[in-house]
Amino acid sequence: MPVEVVFFNVGQGDCTFLHFYEPGPGGTRISKRTVLLDCGTFSGCDVPPGRTSAPVASGTDRARLLAHLRHEIGTRITENGGVLDALLISHPDQDHYRNLEDILCHLDAKTKLPTGKLQYQVGQVWYSCDPDNYREGNARGAKGKGGDGKGFVGRLLTEPAASACPDHPAHKVHSMPLRVQSPSDPVALFPPKVIGAEPELPNLFLVSSQPFGPHPDKWSPTGAGKSPDAGNKLKHPAQVIPPSTLPKEAELAKLLDRLLDVSDAVKSLRTSTPRTLSGDLLEQRLLAEGRTEFGNRFLKSLASDTERKAAKDKATLAVRNAGTGAPRWLIRSAKDSKEAADRQKEWFAAEGVRKLGSDYVAAGHQKEFDAYVDSLRSTTYTMGDDEYEDHLETAAVRKVTEDFLAKEPSGVIDHVVALYAADIAKERKDSNTALGPVNAKVVDRNKKTDADNTAVEKDDKFAPLPTPPALTGDVTADNTAIGTYNEQVHRYNADVAAFNDKHAADGKRKIPLDTMSKLRPVPSGDDLTELAKAKLFAEYTEELLTDYRKKTHDQWVGGHKTDWANASSMVFVLKGKPGADGKHQQVWLMADAVMINEDLLRSRYTGDAFVDHARNRWLKVGHHGSGTSTSAAWITFLKPTGMFVSSGKKDYHIPKASHFQDTVITAWNKTSPPVIAPPDKQPGATKPDPSPTAPQHDYAYWQDPDAKNPDFALVWKSTPLALGTSLTPTASDKATAAKKPKPGPGPSAAKKRKLMDFEGQGTDWHLILDDAGGFELWHH
């Protein structure tokens, strides 16, 4: 069963229609299902005044837009017997639902205004947030003007019977609208007819929606002033998220119980846990300060700024390559992604200095380092707000994990511990086997380094090259020998440091030796069991801590509706029927989902069969191409074949040029090589198809106008394949493009550029996924 996806150009808004059908005789279509995902625009229509290409119709731009949508959407619903199988309202922003009444309802014969009574049958309605948040920005239905303040959509979600047409009894919503939450696994819009069977393809799957909090009061404005824990950073207008709205999956219910336990434990610990650092946390802070101090001493010993920068950059890169990550508390309160990135950059630079300090200490300054750290012990160290919150969360999760594991049946725990013990023993043996050749290379490298160092010696006394240990295969004895060798290396390196200090002015330098890596003891008996239990505990703790932090409110930055509304977007994935090779196509429909939604989805679906094995993967980018969505990590994860962007002329700076140039396009070009678009069909076309002949499209989009530039400022980039839903150049854009070079690959870029002529209203993109795993794509 093929499916046609139509991305309608509604300006600053979204409207996507999916038509599932079977091929009929003579090229006809036998409709099977219809789905409407959003239908709204905040500004009306983006057809520039005077455009001759705009459809001929009377009335305003908005009236022409609505007439176009009523015809195109109505035609497809009529083909389906007058039934809209599913209406999906992604989130409570008007540019995603404002036009629904105009499109789905009968019009008054005299006023031509929508009556609020449906002209079609609607099977099911899905939405993501409290119905009170869905309020159209028009006078009809407002309180004090003869209405109840809800508007059509608000009434549809709470009182669907009120939208039934009395003159046409079948024109009604046939099931109670469903408020959905983020599922633990993909939820098919059209479930299988047989319980336990796989959903048939093609199908639309819900993969994300409003994340739930571990405590309902965290979403309540009444709890905002109670304490930092009860604070509602998103200022969500709903008093609570009713537990009944959460998914019913058993595993998710268990997880929710544990998250509630963590939240309670955090509250309890806050009353008894001091902010002053002590124990291991204090020791880590002292050692970090000491290493920073000695790292700076090492940098000062270098002869030039160039050497200092090179050493620092190399050490910072080594820290990054080691997989070290910045602590969460460092960036959790960042106001935006740039601030968070800057904080991480500074932290990695500091870690590079600390690494230099560790190397410097190992080269013969251990006693001096210990004395310096002891001098810091009289200082009181206090955690900042974010660090303290992370500390409480970690401690709470450890406590809940201990309680959880203590309640598990002993047979289950013993079985898992036995599996972990076998893994640990094997991993230690394999690691030791692999370390043999590595240590041999260290010895060979040190011999060469010593020869190079000897070449620059004159009258300076120098420690002899350490004697390589004779390894016997006994881990304890071998580690003793390796330790002796490493002590000799440290003494040698101390002489290197002294030599370099002495000859700082004349440029003579010697290179320190490398140490050998010690083997890892292979435990047995009770020692191995304890290690296995510790690994089990650590994994449970890390998993729970990750879940807790992904589900709680404090990952959301900001305090206005845009934050929580966009993040509550329902995200759907259309999966096509697999081809002969078993691979299928996907269309990711992101609505206004933001980067945190993308991060959650990546975490959930990395390596998952639901995402893997795709032939083509299309992406309707989140939030109209703004900088709040479509991270480089998201592009790298999806590796899209093509992207669609809907945007308008409102002064939102969407799409954001710098974000697409510096992040999206850069990541895309690295992830997906340029491709040649297929000779797609354009039904009813009277001129040649505008498909490209070179291995890229020129991706064109426009920033919003401002006072200095009333027309759209053209920004473009060569990309693998980029397609816009409402990118409308004005006549002056085209005239200017012929005269002035635009940013691009070379001074003659403007002449080489092939700008796709995106019309305004009516320039809708059509994507058909067929039964063989192929596609057709066109715009008209």
Side-chain angles (χ1 to χ4, degrees):
M1 178 165 51
V3 57
E4 176 192 33
V5 186
V6 186
F7 300 99
F8 286 105
N9 170 18
V10 293
Q12 180 58 51
D14 265 349
C15 181
T16 305
F17 193 89
L18 296 92
H19 190 192
F20 299 76
Y21 64 90
E22 294 286 3
T28 59
R29 300 191 299 189
I30 303 173
S31 182
K32 293 296 183 181
R33 295 169 181 161
T34 55
V35 178
L36 178 59
L37 171 59
D38 289 339
C39 186
T41 179
F42 195 85
S43 58
C45 181
D46 285 340
V47 179
R51 276 298 286 270
T52 58
S53 59
V56 178
S58 60
T60 64
D61 288 339
R62 177 172 170 78
R64 292 199 299 271
L65 168 67
L66 295 177
H68 173 70
L69 293 176
R70 284 176 69 90
H71 177 267
E72 292 294 323
I73 292 175
T75 297
R76 288 165 173 79
I77 296 178
T78 301
E79 286 183 27
N80 196 45
V83 176
L84 178 63
D85 292 277
L87 170 62
L88 312 172
I89 309 173
S90 65
H91 67 294
D93 276 348
Q94 290 189 60
D95 61 334
H96 289 255
Y97 67 84
R98 186 183 178 188
N99 292 334
L100 283 173
E101 183 180 11
D102 297 87
I103 303 306
L104 297 181
C105 294
H106 290 284
L107 299 181
D108 184 270
K110 294 182 179 180
T111 65
K112 304 301 181 184
L113 294 175
T115 62
K117 305 302 180 181
L118 292 169
Q119 63 173 332
Y120 306 111
Q121 300 182 56
V122 179
Q124 54 183 326
V125 180
W126 286 11
Y127 63 103
S128 64
C129 294
D130 189 282
D132 284 344
N133 298 308
Y134 297 81
R135 300 172 181 270
E136 293 91 330
N138 54 57
R140 294 194 307 279
K143 284 186 177 180
K145 297 187 179 182
D148 55 11
K150 293 181 178 179
F152 169 73
V153 173
R155 285 191 295 274
L156 181 73
L157 300 181
T158 56
E159 307 166 52
S163 63
C165 180
D167 299 327
H168 304 83
H171 296 174
K172 63 181 181 179
V173 178
H174 288 268
S175 60
M176 190 65 190
L178 175 67
R179 180 181 174 187
V180 300
Q181 300 286 148
S182 285
S184 56
D185 290 304
V187 174
L189 181 62
F190 303 109
K193 296 179 180 179
V194 179
I195 297 176
E198 291 292 325
E200 64 175 322
L201 297 178
N203 211 323
L204 198 62
F205 294 86
L206 175 73
V207 294
S208 179
S209 185
Q210 185 187 76
F212 60 86
H215 246 302
D217 63 4
K218 289 193 175 184
W219 291 88
S220 169
T222 60
K226 292 179 181 178
S227 71
D229 181 58
N232 174 23
K233 293 185 178 181
L234 289 182
K235 293 183 172 57
H236 193 286
Q239 290 298 308
V240 296
I241 295 181
S244 60
T245 67
L246 296 172
K248 301 300 183 184
E249 291 92 335
E251 289 303 315
L252 193 59
K254 291 181 181 178
L255 173 60
L256 178 60
D257 289 340
R258 292 167 65 195
L259 296 180
L260 290 168
D261 291 341
V262 172
S263 183
D264 291 338
V266 168
K267 291 181 178 179
S268 175
L269 289 169
R270 183 174 285 110
T271 63
S272 59
T273 305
R275 286 176 175 263
T276 305
L277 286 170
S278 61
D280 291 341
L281 291 175
L282 175 61
E283 192 64 21
Q284 291 171 13
R285 181 65 58 84
L286 296 177
L287 291 175
E289 279 210 24
R291 293 191 187 101
T292 298
E293 167 64 21
F294 276 68
N296 286 325
R297 292 187 190 185
F298 170 76
L299 289 174
K300 290 177 182 178
S301 71
L302 300 179
S304 67
D305 290 340
T306 302
E307 285 183 305
R308 284 189 281 272
K309 183 178 185 307
K312 187 176 178 181
D313 289 347
K314 183 178 179 181
T316 301
L317 182 62
V319 173
R320 283 183 176 274
N321 290 342
T324 307
R328 178 173 176 267
W329 58 263
L330 182 82
I331 58 176
R332 66 185 289 175
S333 62
K335 295 179 181 178
D336 53 41
S337 57
K338 182 179 184 305
E339 182 182 352
D342 289 343
R343 290 186 186 183
Q344 291 187 77
K345 185 177 180 181
E346 293 172 1
W347 184 84
F348 274 112
E351 286 299 299
V353 173
R354 291 187 186 119
K355 183 180 186 308
L356 293 174
S358 297
D359 296 341
Y360 189 54
V361 169
H365 298 271
Q366 186 65 50
K367 291 183 179 179
E368 187 182 354
F369 175 78
D370 292 340
Y372 178 79
V373 172
D374 284 338
S375 72
L376 300 175
R377 298 190 185 280
S378 60
T379 304
T380 301
Y381 290 85
T382 303
M383 288 179 276
D385 290 345
D386 291 335
E387 186 178 7
Y388 182 60
E389 290 300 317
D390 271 14
H391 173 60
L392 292 177
E393 289 175 3
T394 303
V397 166
R398 289 183 64 85
K399 180 180 184 305
V400 172
T401 301
E402 289 174 351
D403 295 343
F404 174 73
L405 292 177
K407 296 176 183 177
E408 287 287 289
S410 58
V412 174
I413 297 296
D414 292 344
H415 175 69
V416 177
V417 167
L419 294 176
Y420 279 18
D423 287 343
I424 290 172
K426 182 178 185 303
E427 188 270 334
R428 293 287 180 92
K429 292 177 181 177
D430 292 345
S431 173
N432 290 344
T433 300
L435 273 180
V438 173
N439 280 336
K441 289 182 179 179
V442 168
V443 173
D444 291 340
R445 189 163 59 245
N446 284 348
K447 289 179 180 179
K448 183 179 184 307
T449 298
D450 180 67
D452 294 338
N453 287 342
T454 302
V456 298
E457 287 186 38
K458 285 189 177 179
D459 300 328
D460 303 276
K461 293 183 179 180
F462 215 69
L465 179 68
T467 303
L471 302 182
T472 63
D474 180 281
V475 173
T476 302
D478 288 348
N479 279 343
T480 300
I482 290 173
T484 301
Y485 178 84
N486 287 345
E487 288 176 3
Q488 294 173 341
V489 167
H490 291 324
R491 286 195 291 271
Y492 182 101
N493 288 344
D495 287 346
V496 168
F499 179 90
N500 290 341
D501 287 342
K502 179 179 178 181
H503 293 278
D506 59 24
K508 293 180 181 178
R509 294 194 56 74
K510 291 188 177 182
I511 305 170
L513 302 183
D514 296 328
T515 55
M516 294 177 67
S517 298
K518 287 191 174 183
L519 306 178
R520 303 183 69 186
V522 181
S524 60
D526 291 341
D527 291 339
L528 181 57
T529 300
E530 288 304 312
L531 279 176
K533 288 181 178 179
K535 181 179 179 181
L536 172 66
F537 178 79
E539 288 197 359
Y540 268 74
T541 300
E542 181 60 28
E543 180 180 355
L544 178 57
L545 185 61
T546 300
D547 284 327
Y548 178 78
R549 288 174 171 172
K550 284 180 178 177
K551 301 289 191 294
T552 50
H553 71 290
D554 57 17
Q555 284 218 4
W556 309 91
V557 177
H560 54 85
K561 176 175 177 287
T562 300
D563 294 314
W564 63 258
N566 289 340
S568 299
S569 293
M570 292 191 294
V571 175
F572 289 93
V573 178
L574 172 66
K575 288 187 72 169
K577 196 170 182 179
D581 57 1
K583 295 183 177 181
H584 55 265
Q585 297 187 86
Q586 301 172 0
V587 183
W588 287 70
L589 303 164
M590 303 300 294
D592 281 0
V594 293
M595 289 184 185
I596 191 170
N597 302 99
E598 298 167 359
D599 292 342
L600 291 170
L601 288 168
R602 283 193 300 112
S603 175
R604 166 63 182 85
Y605 289 106
T606 295
D608 193 280
F610 179 79
V611 173
D612 290 347
H613 312 302
R615 172 183 282 124
N616 293 305
R617 191 176 285 126
W618 307 88
L619 173 63
K620 175 69 167 54
V621 303
H623 203 197
H624 317 285
S626 83
T628 65
S629 307
T630 323
S631 67
W634 185 236
I635 294 296
T636 302
F637 169 69
L638 282 185
K639 300 178 179 62
T641 302
M643 293 193 290
F644 300 86
V645 185
S646 68
S647 61
K649 295 194 297 184
K650 294 295 290 183
D651 190 19
Y652 297 140
H653 303 289
I654 297 175
K656 186 176 181 182
S658 60
H659 176 60
F660 264 74
Q661 288 174 317
D662 300 338
T663 301
V664 178
I665 302 304
T666 299
W668 201 12
N669 283 331
K670 290 180 180 179
T671 302
S672 304
V675 297
I676 298 178
D680 301 319
K681 301 177 182 178
Q682 187 179 9
T686 57
K687 56 184 179 180
D689 191 311
S691 297
T693 56
Q696 85 266 334
H697 274 195
D698 286 334
Y699 178 61
Y701 59 94
W702 284 260
Q703 289 180 307
D704 297 315
D706 55 38
K708 297 180 180 178
N709 180 20
D711 289 324
F712 289 113
L714 179 64
V715 183
W716 71 281
K717 201 79 172 178
S718 294
T719 69
L721 183 62
L723 310 166
T725 60
S726 62
L727 306 175
T728 312
T730 65
S732 60
D733 285 330
K734 295 182 178 180
T736 302
K739 297 176 181 178
K740 297 179 180 179
K742 297 295 178 181
S748 60
K751 295 180 181 179
K752 292 181 179 179
R753 178 169 59 86
K754 173 179 173 57
L755 174 65
M756 295 191 73
D757 186 14
F758 296 106
E759 303 295 338
Q761 167 202 39
T763 307
D764 308 320
W765 282 95
H766 298 248
L767 173 65
I768 290 182
L769 310 186
D770 63 27
D771 281 346
F775 68 91
E776 298 176 8
L777 176 65
W778 71 88
H779 71 274
H780 68 19

